[in-house]
Amino acid sequence: MITLDLKLPDAHYPIHIGRNLLTRTDLLKPHLPIPSAAIVTNSTIAPLYLAPLEQALKAEGIATRVVVLPDGESYKTWDTLNLIFDALLAGNCERKTTLIALGGGVIGDMTGFAAACYQRGAPFIQIPTTLLAQVDSSVGGKTAINHPLGKNMIGAFYQPRVVIADMVLLDTLPDRELSAGLAEVIKYGLLGDAEFLAWLESNIEQLRARDPAALEYAVKRCCEMKAEIVGQDEKESGVRALLNLGHTFGHAIEAGLGYGAWLHGEAVAAGMVLAAATSQELGWLNAADVERVISLIQRAGLPVRAPDLGLTNWLEHMGHDKKVEQGKLRFVLLKQLGQAVISSEVSHDVLQRVLSGQNVTA
Amino acid sequence: MITLDLKLPDAHYPIHIGRNLLTRTDLLKPHLPIPSAAIVTNSTIAPLYLAPLEQALKAEGIATRVVVLPDGESYKTWDTLNLIFDALLAGNCERKTTLIALGGGVIGDMTGFAAACYQRGAPFIQIPTTLLAQVDSSVGGKTAINHPLGKNMIGAFYQPRVVIADMVLLDTLPDRELSAGLAEVIKYGLLGDAEFLAWLESNIEQLRARDPAALEYAVKRCCEMKAEIVGQDEKESGVRALLNLGHTFGHAIEAGLGYGAWLHGEAVAAGMVLAAATSQELGWLNAADVERVISLIQRAGLPVRAPDLGLTNWLEHMGHDKKVEQGKLRFVLLKQLGQAVISSEVSHDVLQRVLSGQNVTA
């Protein structure tokens, strides 16, 4: 097991990465202020991993309730969130009851947001069960639900007490979900680590084949980068926005097609290709660079072409991006492979060319 | 105009108290990060005070949207909150658009919570229009909505950038609402300032008659006390809980009767009588002390007898109190008039006697 430490100005918490950690109550117990927990999971994960976690907690004398939500991005809504509140209140959960998110990004985001709001703030713990959640969404305290007009529009910055990434849980992950997670892994290489990007180009097949050492290295490297960036800028007033590479386009795809049509990672993948194409338009990347991006994303089993939302729809959805400032869209683009920057200098013409696919080579 | 400063560990903000402040954009502008605002108000306040505020902002070149919500505690729900999010997104409000709460406690709590959640945190400003909001709820950053099973169960600690208490707005306040505000005013005397309590006993008729100097002094003294307590304990891990005097009983009354049947201040008034009666049962107050509490509350035009919820209902609703720890109810009680304490030592017998009204003298 590897343990990273995410250091914030007035808090810090461990990220444990390893195998067979799900029932390691010794990793959980130090973070429960009272022996009371509520596991939040979904109908796909519950039959696989709920019983061992629940039994391990109960064996330690921890009063444990369970909330099982429907599975999928289309349920990342207030109505589903309210099922958590209903269960917590019906179960007399207190302000110090710890919420445990056992699931992927949707479960983690919703459980974290429920914890942020329940009695104005209850403790919570992340046990991510997907690659995407292990490398990205479970770390850093971004929590949210979707609004029909915009992805993750309603939420909070609210940090977990501990993140436990058990690599064994990835054994049951469907291939499509694995690929979706690889989109975020590739994102880390593109935005800030050219060496990691090259490693990914050499190891993408091993990752898709779930080679344990390769997966563990990728999870560790992504969590290291995320911990460093979030430690510098918890509330995204600066550098943290770079983690949004591909997300302005990606969120528009998700909202535009209806949440759940594409997986988040798939939308981010196509979004990163658009970000690369935009960077090429600005003269920052050359055709060979863009080709490298497209090729790696393709080899990861991910889409490289965004759906045709139509320019009006694209602009409408991107207009609700959280990075918009005084009416101006701000994009995360690539100065070079391994170096992302924020730019508000993308002209309407460039955007139109990129979004109509006129300059995409794949 | 008097200005108090609420100092927190890593922030501070002004509380302006005076007359004719509503259109004083010089008090607002320094707190808007971009010239964009959304006023949230209700259908009662809008015809009275919306136009002058909106015009003053627009005259300063501040892009201003308006959200008018239905009025009353029964609307302090997710559905109403979502009307704010819908309007903000439809109006392309950004993460730096400032939400301005123009209303009483319900509007302030909901607007603050909407600001806490919108794009994970937008700035907000409180312009309280009721005595209750001016002396209590607009200061200190407690925001929330109700859940059918418990008052203020879903919310956040989220501080405004500035609080502007314009005493002139109280001219249109209905007498019943004025009395409800006096309940919180009396609370401050009871919990921490015997001298202020004595002043209230001498000035309660002037306050009900809306004597400007008396009202302004009362608002100032309450805000001073609140600022001091919140400055010590923003997240209510200790002393801030004392501000909940009368609220464990009061919240149970509100939830038990259905939100809006009694005003919050009315429920707190009856709750403070129960807290005094409980304190007498514990031997802390004598009969004359309790009589003083009851008499002052009666003179303020407030109920001194709680409705008969039945013991099971009382316990059920109080069991959802945010102060419950490991299954134990914790009450704010009075060691003496002007000195509140937290106690988890109230026996079932005492509670039963107090709640059945067997020891209430009025």
Side-chain angles (χ1 to χ4, degrees), chain A residues 133-327:
Chain A
Q134 290 190 352
V135 298
D136 194 62
S137 64
S138 71
V139 173
K142 275 197 181 177
T143 73
I145 55 174
N146 298 329
H147 184 282
L149 291 179
K151 168 105 176 167
N152 292 339
M153 276 294 142
I154 301 163
F157 290 101
Y158 195 73
Q159 301 293 340
R161 302 290 176 106
V162 55
V163 179
I164 298 171
D166 184 345
M167 311 299 299
V168 172
L169 308 192
L170 302 184
D171 291 350
T172 52
L173 194 66
D175 286 339
R176 185 181 169 194
E177 296 268 359
L178 187 82
S179 286
L182 289 174
E184 298 280 6
V185 174
I186 293 167
K187 179 189 81 174
Y188 282 94
L190 288 174
L191 76 90
D193 188 344
E195 209 170 298
F196 183 52
L197 183 66
W199 181 88
L200 286 171
E201 290 176 315
S202 303
N203 290 275
I204 194 74
E205 281 76 23
Q206 286 90 319
L207 289 168
R208 290 189 72 184
R210 302 171 198 236
D211 175 79
L215 274 179
E216 190 162 331
Y217 175 72
V219 172
K220 183 187 99 147
R221 184 66 196 116
C222 294
C223 286
E224 273 173 2
M225 289 180 69
K226 182 130 193 196
E228 195 188 321
I229 292 169
V230 172
Q232 285 172 49
D233 177 25
E234 182 183 3
K235 302 277 175 76
E236 195 169 307
S237 48
V239 65
R240 185 168 183 168
L242 300 182
L243 295 171
N244 263 306
L245 177 65
H247 283 61
T248 300
F249 296 113
H251 286 167
I253 294 171
E254 292 185 78
L257 294 183
Y259 299 113
W262 283 33
L263 293 177
H264 174 63
E266 293 168 343
V268 167
M272 290 191 296
V273 173
L274 290 169
T278 309
S279 307
Q280 184 183 8
E281 283 280 338
L282 298 183
W284 296 344
L285 297 188
N286 60 36
D289 292 329
V290 177
E291 193 41 57
R292 270 183 73 187
V293 175
I294 291 172
S295 166
L296 180 58
I297 290 174
Q298 267 177 332
R299 289 168 63 206
L302 288 162
V304 292
R305 236 180 209 293
D308 183 12
L309 299 181
L311 189 62
T312 313
N313 259 326
W314 273 112
L315 295 176
E316 162 90 22
H317 285 294
M318 294 197 299
H320 291 130
D321 190 72
K322 290 187 286 299
K323 290 184 293 302
V324 169
E325 266 189 18
Q326 307 212 44

Side-chain angles (χ1 to χ4, degrees), chain A residues 10 33-35 78-79 81-82 85-86 88-96 109 113 116-121 141-145 147-150 152-157 235-237 316 319-328 330, chain B residues 10 33-35 78-79 81-82 85-86 88-96 109 113 116-121 141-145 147-150 152-157 235-237 316 319-328 330:
Chain A
D10 32 52
I34 62 172
W78 173 263
D79 284 343
L81 190 74
N82 213 25
F85 295 131
D86 290 346
L88 295 176
L89 282 162
N92 286 308
C93 291
E94 303 174 8
R95 190 151 62 172
K96 291 185 177 172
D109 281 13
F113 188 43
C117 300
Y118 186 64
Q119 303 206 12
R120 298 198 185 94
K142 275 197 181 177
T143 73
I145 55 174
H147 184 282
L149 291 179
N152 292 339
M153 276 294 142
I154 301 163
F157 290 101
K235 302 277 175 76
E236 195 169 307
S237 48
E316 162 90 22
H320 291 130
D321 190 72
K322 290 187 286 299
K323 290 184 293 302
V324 169
E325 266 189 18
Q326 307 212 44
K328 267 202 127 159
R330 296 192 306 147
Chain B
D10 34 51
I34 62 173
W78 172 262
D79 284 344
L81 190 74
N82 212 25
F85 295 131
D86 290 345
L88 295 175
L89 282 162
N92 285 308
C93 291
E94 302 174 7
R95 189 152 62 172
K96 290 184 178 173
D109 281 13
F113 187 42
C117 300
Y118 186 64
Q119 303 206 14
R120 299 198 185 95
K142 276 197 181 177
T143 73
I145 55 172
H147 184 282
L149 290 180
N152 293 338
M153 275 294 140
I154 300 162
F157 290 99
K235 301 278 175 75
E236 195 169 309
S237 47
E316 163 90 22
H320 291 128
D321 190 71
K322 290 188 286 299
K323 289 184 294 302
V324 170
E325 266 188 21
Q326 307 212 44
K328 268 203 129 163
R330 296 192 307 145

